[in-house]
Amino acid sequence: MARRGRDGADRGVTSVEPAVPGPDIAAAADAGHQAPGWLLLGRDGRLTAYASCAEGLVRWTESVPGSDVWHGPDLFPVEGWAGRFTLSQDSGGFVWFAGTRLREGAPNGRELIVAAQYQTGRPLGDWRAVGNPFPEREEEPRPPYGDPVVLPDGAGALHVLATRFGTGVRGRTRRPDGMWDNWQDYQGKWVRGAVAPLVTAQGRAEFLAPFRGGASYWGQRGPGAAFTWLGRMEADAVEGTHSSYETGRGTGTYFWRHPADGGVIAYRPQASAGVVHALMPLGGAGGVGPVGITRARVNGYDCTVMLQRGAQGCPEIAAYPTEGEQYGAWWAPVGDRCAGLPAITRDARGAVTIAMLDTTGGLCIARQDLTDPGLTFGPWSRVA
């Protein structure tokens, strides 16, 4: 574990809170508080991993690009922290976080909060309360709120989207000039869980709002535009398992698990002209939670690489030619039992990098062996 304290500024250490006990991090991850996509590459080439604990947000930071030496875990405490959070990275490399804070006096005792990390290893900005989009009094117990999602588009607007079963999807936008609009209603009364967001390389934002038996599809016509309803799809899915990735220029593919066996399904709402909109099975039966996604060249082919927590609680990986779901995918274990969901991205060299929290809350990293044309990995390194 990295040494902590104020003298650690040049080491990327920005928190002076006591070290976070690993079991607390592992317990939060196993309770479902680990955000999908929790491993990100900064503009300076360093990776950062994020997690949660009872007191707030936890962070590890690579010392230099490609290093097995990391700083952390550093704790960023949040008063009233509800535990769950989501994150997103904009085109400038800023990392945005959305979570929930429990506060006396707030509608229904809770409010949504957002914060940003503007540079790898530097402090987070202040958490800003953006209100509660569901202030209606609770006449009777309802299913939990969906996790709030923060979605930065290419025009510099920041969208916060939240869901509540029985009410629908509501969103609030911070315009590029810093002013916040009022909450907007995106319908979907029977929405279940959080929306599945996506921003294309051109900066156009979109999302799926899942409900039992399908999902509504909302998107911008271009960066900075309002969200409009683009249609719906009929597809059973396990709640809380949706994820997405841009697999073609301006085209996103969404992934979720089928309730029959937990296998992964892929779907492109904006398939190319002449292509049949079909649900494509990709194996992974018995896995849990959303899959992590990245793209990389494998044996010379552009491939979509997926990472899941498998039926035995261990990370499993699979790859297939991008937008070639008809060829299928074969899953293989790549590590020991983990806490929560594993994460995947590419590092500064372009190597596929996978991360997991071990059962004691330590951060473990494994990287693709770039000397092998296939998708092979070096040994796991427990960095903290």
Side-chain angles (χ1 to χ4, degrees):
M1 182 177 296
R3 182 167 57 91
R4 307 172 62 85
R6 296 187 185 275
D7 62 343
D10 61 335
R11 295 162 54 86
V13 177
T14 58
S15 170
V16 294
E17 296 298 317
V20 188
D24 290 357
I25 299 173
D30 278 334
H33 295 178
Q34 190 75 338
W38 53 270
L39 182 69
L40 294 175
L41 178 65
R43 293 194 67 181
D44 66 352
R46 289 190 291 164
L47 294 169
T48 306
Y50 304 90
S52 182
C53 69
E55 291 77 25
L57 190 70
V58 179
R59 185 184 75 187
W60 296 262
T61 308
E62 232 182 356
S63 58
V64 295
S67 174
D68 286 335
V69 178
W70 292 54
H71 307 309
D74 297 313
L75 170 65
F76 297 87
V78 183
E79 185 175 357
W81 182 246
R84 301 176 67 93
F85 72 101
T86 61
L87 72 169
S88 182
Q89 190 172 29
D90 66 22
S91 58
F94 297 170
V95 181
W96 295 91
F97 305 90
T100 302
R101 177 166 62 196
L102 306 180
R103 183 179 66 82
E104 186 176 353
N108 295 323
R110 65 180 60 219
E111 60 188 5
L112 305 188
I113 52 176
V114 297
Q117 177 185 296
Y118 299 108
Q119 187 178 352
T120 303
R122 302 305 300 162
L124 271 64
D126 293 336
W127 289 91
R128 176 190 173 92
V130 296
N132 186 337
F134 307 109
E136 298 87 357
R137 290 189 60 182
E138 298 183 3
E139 302 297 335
E140 58 186 32
R142 295 187 188 178
Y145 293 75
D147 294 334
V149 168
V150 60
L151 189 57
D153 71 22
L158 185 72
H159 311 278
V160 179
L161 300 165
T163 62
R164 190 178 191 193
F165 180 76
T167 303
V169 183
R170 291 178 181 172
R172 192 177 185 192
T173 297
R174 192 200 67 178
R175 302 194 302 264
D177 63 6
M179 300 297 293
W180 285 85
D181 293 335
N182 294 327
W183 289 100
Q184 301 295 314
D185 189 352
Y186 297 119
Q187 306 171 26
K189 183 176 181 180
W190 307 120
V191 65
R192 291 180 176 271
V195 302
L198 184 143
V199 181
T200 69
Q202 292 75 39
R204 183 183 60 81
E206 60 182 57
F207 64 88
L208 289 188
F211 54 84
R212 180 171 291 172
S216 293
Y217 179 45
W218 291 76
Q220 297 175 317
R221 298 299 182 182
F227 288 108
T228 58
W229 187 76
L230 301 177
R232 59 182 284 165
M233 64 188 71
E234 302 297 328
D236 289 331
V238 178
E239 183 179 338
T241 64
H242 290 76
S243 57
S244 63
Y245 204 83
E246 185 176 13
T247 53
R249 183 176 175 80
T251 303
T253 299
Y254 289 84
F255 303 82
W256 60 82
R257 295 191 182 278
H258 194 280
D261 62 358
V264 179
I265 300 294
Y267 182 79
R268 272 183 294 286
Q270 292 191 341
S272 303
V275 177
V276 177
H277 291 257
L279 305 178
M280 303 296 292
L282 289 169
V288 297
V291 293
I293 307 290
T294 192
R295 285 170 64 182
R297 298 202 72 81
V298 180
N299 290 321
Y301 294 96
D302 172 17
C303 288
T304 295
V305 185
M306 304 178 293
L307 183 71
Q308 71 168 3
R309 180 174 179 172
Q312 304 304 315
C314 303
E316 295 177 351
I317 201 162
Y320 66 93
T322 296
E323 298 197 349
E325 290 87 0
Q326 68 272 20
Y327 297 109
W330 291 265
W331 295 85
V334 285
D336 296 327
R337 187 175 180 84
C338 58
L341 299 173
I344 187 168
T345 191
R346 293 170 63 194
D347 69 9
R349 300 178 302 145
V352 175
T353 303
I354 52 180
M356 71 173 187
L357 299 176
D358 65 21
T359 55
T360 64
L363 175 65
C364 301
I365 300 290
R367 302 179 197 258
Q368 180 186 9
D369 180 359
L370 293 178
T371 65
D372 189 311
L375 187 61
T376 61
F377 290 85
W380 284 92
S381 172
R382 191 178 193 274
V383 300

